[in-house]
Amino acid sequence: VFFVVLVIAFAVYSGNATKTYRELRTNEFSMTIAYESERVEKIIAEMERNAIDLALAGYHFFEFSDQTDALGESISIKNFSAFPAAVGGGIWFEPYVINDEIKRVCFYAFFDENMGKVRHDPDFQTEEYDYLTQMWYVQIKERLEGRSGTAWTEPYYDDTGTLSHMTTVGSGIYDKSGHFVGMSTVDWRIEDMIERLSSIKPTENSFVLVVSPRDDYILTYTRQDGISYAGFSPDILDWYGEIEFNNDDSVNISTFVLDGIEYTAFSRMLSNGWLFSAEVPTDEIFSEIEEQNNRFTLIFVVLFIAMMVLTIILISQFVNRPIKKLITGVTELGEGNLDKKIEIDSRDEVGMLAQSFNKMTVDLKNSIEQQAREHAEKERMGAELNIARQIQESMLPCIFPPYPDRTEFNIFATMLPAKEVGGDFYDFYLIDEDRLAVVIADVSGKGVPSALFMVITKILIKSNAMQGKPPSEVFETVNTLLCENNETSMFVTAFMGVLDIPSGRFTYTNAGHNPPLIKRKNANYEYLKTKAGFVLGGLEGFTYTQEELTLETGDAVYLYTDGVTEAMDPENRLFTDEKLLDTINMSKETDQQALLEHIKNEIDSFADGAEQADDITMLALTYLGR
Amino acid sequence: VDVNITREGGESKLVLKGRLDTVTAPQLQEELLPEFKDADRVILDFAEIVYVSSAGLRVLLQAEKTAQAKGAEFKITGVCPEVMEVFEMTGFTGMLNIE
């Protein structure tokens, strides 16, 4: 907006300046013409006054003298000696007014260049010359019309005396009764005047025209086309009619077109009836101002461009550069350099943006570091949990067959841990030569606390069992120990059985655990009806019931955790006790390892890709007898 | 699990819906245990509980212990047969006040 206003202001100012300047230039030309005209006017006035003076002398000669030739000659010589502006002139009388005998009486004097002085020339009185018939005499007499004052002849070329362009002004001599008796004449060699006017050339292609319209006569025409128009009628100039004159001595300004160029004519009428006109190509009058205008415009444009460049530099300095800096900074940030600080201190929006970015960078860095720390922590914990699980698993007996030299029984067990470390375990060991203990347990919940609880439970059970205590006593002791300081209310469901190998007597106690399955020789597996004791660690001082049965050769016991019966399919449906029973009976006659694999496969196909939520722990024991 | 608690006088009733397992048990623990602060009778409506895992049992055991310590009453109602089987198997039937 600022620049647009500037341009408009310049245009208006420039237009006004041009207009004012044009007026000034036009006035200047008018004044030149007026000045030159005045010079001519002055000469004309002098010539006319001299003619009047000389006519007055002629009147005195006619009325009041004895009219001697000597007097007449003397008047002329004295007159022109005193008035060197004229080349010559004299007093001329009408036929016979001086002397009835003599037709022509005249006294002509002129400046003789050879003699260097004015002298009388008698030749003009001759009959041969007969001044009475000369053009100038006839014209002046005619143009005077009997009045006082002066009259001018048309310009002519004097081929008798001066051999130059002349014009003559005359004034009448009248007798007392007012009859015209003669005239005075003053010859004006107009060469100098014409030359001077011709030299007026305000601009390169301007020219001058001086015309005597009354005489239909061109005095000078200075247009450079190689033709002299002097003496011709101005009518041969087809634009002549378009020039306008005022009837006073003011300069008229008009325009006309010549050869496709517009001219401005500065014209003035002189008091002798001549017209003086200077024609100036309009363009040239104003060429100077155009030049100046152009120069001014150039300066303006240069200034304008300089301001634009300056503005652009300023914008670049205060806006673009910071934004570029910002972009570079943000790009660097994007490439991961979180230590990058964008250094823009300005208090504008860009500066605020930069500060926001810096803050964001710091926050981002902190956040990423935080995340990295948390991630590392998780990794570490994950790794530790893995180790914990490995330790947990390694605590379970895993070499099968565990007692290759014992032929009285077969035992096989597996634990398939869930993704998260859990609290299932199985265990078996020989208390002595004749007694085999089997344990299966499930600690409530999951994770490291459960795993730790499982380890304690496993060790407590084993250490108590190894002392030879019966299962109920083992559980009571362990329960008491687990209840101590058990503020988190963790508990364990467990089943423990002790097989007396020689007799096949199987003593067992159930602490809230899933009932085992038992298979008699040549029969199906069935759920063992047990008296449900409370979970271990649940209630201090709980008394556990011990039960017993006798295994025959070929009888089998299957222990499991709820990871089996509560395995889930994608719709969260449970595997259920019934399905376990069906499944186990489908392969009841295979060996323990195959049996457990079969059940595991059935669970897998039931789960149908659903994530295993709990440990799946199974233990199978077959009594083979002595 | 969805827990909907209504309190009236000294009685808080929590209507449960869904599964009570490793994932949801901590949530129940957070909502159930604070009830014993003000109420002297807390009732768990189990009618729409379809599964209880050992983690769920642990919360119930904790609640029972809290109730005993405070001398408050803790009761579970509307237990479905499948869940009741779990309670029976683990001996919780002898421990908890189940209606």
Side-chain angles (χ1 to χ4, degrees), chain A residues 319-375:
Chain A
V319 179
N320 286 352
R321 190 173 297 177
I323 284 177
K324 252 189 193 158
K325 225 169 154 186
L326 202 60
I327 290 168
T328 314
V330 171
T331 308
E332 226 178 290
L333 172 66
E335 284 162 358
N337 179 9
L338 293 178
D339 294 322
K340 175 72 187 171
K341 257 214 141 50
I342 301 167
E343 312 246 345
I344 300 170
D345 296 328
S346 63
R347 269 195 252 165
D348 54 14
E349 286 81 353
V350 177
M352 284 160 65
L353 193 59
Q355 279 171 20
S356 298
F357 264 110
N358 286 339
K359 189 182 177 305
M360 188 193 82
T361 310
V362 171
D363 292 350
L364 202 58
K365 197 182 167 191
N366 290 342
S367 163
I368 286 174
E369 280 173 3
Q370 171 89 9
Q371 270 186 17
R373 267 199 304 276
E374 282 171 7
H375 186 69

Side-chain angles (χ1 to χ4, degrees), chain A residues 381-604:
Chain A
M381 278 180 67
E384 286 177 1
L385 280 175
N386 250 341
I387 292 166
R389 180 148 59 198
Q390 280 170 23
I391 292 170
Q392 196 183 11
E393 283 173 29
S394 71
M395 290 178 75
L396 307 182
C398 56
I399 296 161
F400 297 101
Y403 312 110
D405 52 336
R406 303 299 296 243
T407 55
E408 303 97 323
F409 60 90
N410 271 338
I411 192 161
F412 191 81
T414 61
M415 186 183 81
L416 301 153
K419 198 175 169 195
E420 200 181 344
V421 63
D424 276 17
F425 73 91
Y426 64 85
D427 208 356
F428 55 86
Y429 30 83
L430 284 166
I431 297 168
D432 52 35
E433 275 298 299
D434 289 337
R435 281 185 290 174
L436 172 73
V438 290
V439 180
I440 192 150
D442 179 5
V443 177
S444 65
K446 285 197 186 69
V448 173
S450 301
L452 286 172
F453 210 75
M454 166 254 169
V455 171
I456 295 166
T457 309
K458 179 181 177 291
I459 290 168
L460 284 176
I461 291 175
K462 187 171 181 180
S463 61
N464 276 284
M466 289 304 274
Q467 291 170 25
K469 291 179 185 171
S472 58
E473 217 174 296
V474 171
F475 274 8
E476 276 160 19
T477 311
V478 171
N479 181 48
T480 304
L481 291 169
L482 287 180
C483 279
E484 279 173 16
N485 301 320
N486 184 11
E487 262 140 39
T488 53
S489 293
M490 297 204 68
F491 61 82
V492 188
T493 66
F495 177 90
M496 184 183 181
V498 174
L499 174 66
D500 182 73
I501 299 164
S503 65
R505 192 158 56 96
F506 187 64
T507 353
Y508 59 90
T509 296
N510 188 355
H513 198 80
N514 301 59
L517 284 155
I518 188 156
K519 175 183 140 3
R520 297 296 181 178
K521 194 183 177 184
N522 298 325
N524 277 340
Y525 275 99
E526 281 170 21
Y527 281 107
L528 178 63
K529 298 267 187 277
T530 62
K531 195 166 164 45
F534 197 50
V535 294
L536 296 176
L539 185 62
E540 207 171 344
F542 189 84
T543 307
Y544 289 92
T545 310
Q546 185 170 296
E547 293 164 272
E548 65 171 67
L549 55 88
T550 303
L551 295 177
E552 301 298 332
T553 298
D555 289 357
V557 176
Y558 170 76
L559 307 179
Y560 60 95
T561 59
D562 59 3
V564 174
T565 51
E566 294 175 8
M568 278 178 289
D569 69 0
E571 273 88 50
N572 285 347
R573 282 187 297 247
L574 303 179
F575 192 72
T576 70
D577 297 346
E578 290 73 27
K579 193 167 171 65
L580 173 61
L581 193 63
D582 292 347
T583 304
I584 198 167
N585 281 324
M586 276 160 70
S587 58
K588 57 185 177 182
E589 299 301 342
T590 57
D591 66 33
Q592 288 93 338
Q593 187 170 355
L595 176 73
L596 299 192
E597 267 169 26
H598 169 72
I599 295 169
K600 165 66 179 143
N601 290 340
E602 283 296 304
I603 292 168
D604 279 349

Side-chain angles (χ1 to χ4, degrees), chain B residues 6-78:
Chain B
T6 52
R7 299 184 187 89
E8 209 181 314
E11 183 181 297
S12 288
K13 188 170 184 180
L14 289 81
V15 180
L16 310 181
K17 184 178 177 181
R19 300 166 45 83
L20 206 50
D21 54 22
T22 319
V23 180
T24 59
Q27 181 202 339
L28 178 65
Q29 181 177 338
E30 258 173 54
E31 304 208 41
L32 174 60
L33 296 187
E35 290 301 316
F36 288 99
K37 246 190 227 169
D38 299 322
D40 44 35
R41 192 175 148 86
V42 177
I43 300 171
L44 281 188
D45 185 341
F46 254 55
E48 291 193 70
I49 286 291
V50 294
Y51 171 73
V52 177
S53 80
S54 57
L57 291 176
R58 204 187 110 222
V59 175
L60 298 180
L61 180 59
Q62 268 186 312
E64 178 60 30
K65 281 182 178 176
T66 310
Q68 279 174 17
K70 277 206 58 181
E73 191 186 344
F74 178 52
K75 199 163 77 173
I76 300 174
T77 61

